[in-house]
Amino acid sequence: GSRGCRATLLEAARVDGASEWQVFRKVTVPLLAPVLAVVLVTLMINVLKIFDLVYIIAPGATQKDANVLALQLYLSSFGGGANQGVGSAIAVILLLLVVPVMVMNVRRLRRESRR
């Protein structure tokens, strides 16, 4: 099975004289690259769009200290005052940050579906 293949690769690297750090860096990480990519992309999207937790948990007095991009977007656009332009600009920046991550995700999913 696939477990045997991985164990063989690790043993082969050790027999060839690789240190544990080299085995980790040159064998284990490349084998885990697809999984790491999925996890990193998901985390990046979640970090960029986190809003509700900060808005609900942080009290009003400390909200400026616990600010994130999505919260600033909401407060600028709907928090009163004449800052709708700033909120709109933040929305565009957020979109520009998320689109490349989404494109990478879609390409990766297409590659996996071809296999």
Side-chain angles (χ1 to χ4, degrees), residues 52-66:
D52 49 355
L53 292 174
V54 180
Y55 186 69
I56 292 169
I57 292 173
T62 61
Q63 216 155 45
K64 285 188 173 30
D65 297 328

Side-chain angles (χ1 to χ4, degrees), residues 89-110:
I90 294 172
V92 171
I93 289 171
L94 200 56
L95 176 72
L96 291 175
L97 288 172
V98 171
V99 163
V101 176
M102 283 175 27
V103 168
M104 280 173 26
N105 226 6
V106 168
R107 282 185 181 163
R108 188 187 45 73
L109 285 170
R110 283 188 183 153

Side-chain angles (χ1 to χ4, degrees), residues 4 16 30 36 44-45 53 58 61 76 82-83 92 101 105:
D16 287 343
L36 291 174
M44 284 170 69
I45 291 173
L53 292 174
S76 298
N83 280 345
V92 171
V101 176
N105 226 6

Side-chain angles (χ1 to χ4, degrees), residues 54-92:
V54 180
Y55 186 69
I56 292 169
I57 292 173
T62 61
Q63 216 155 45
K64 285 188 173 30
D65 297 328
N67 211 347
V68 291
L69 204 52
L71 177 61
Q72 186 61 46
L73 161 66
Y74 173 79
L75 293 175
S76 298
S77 298
F78 310 113
N83 280 345
Q84 273 98 10
V86 173
S88 177
I90 294 172
V92 171

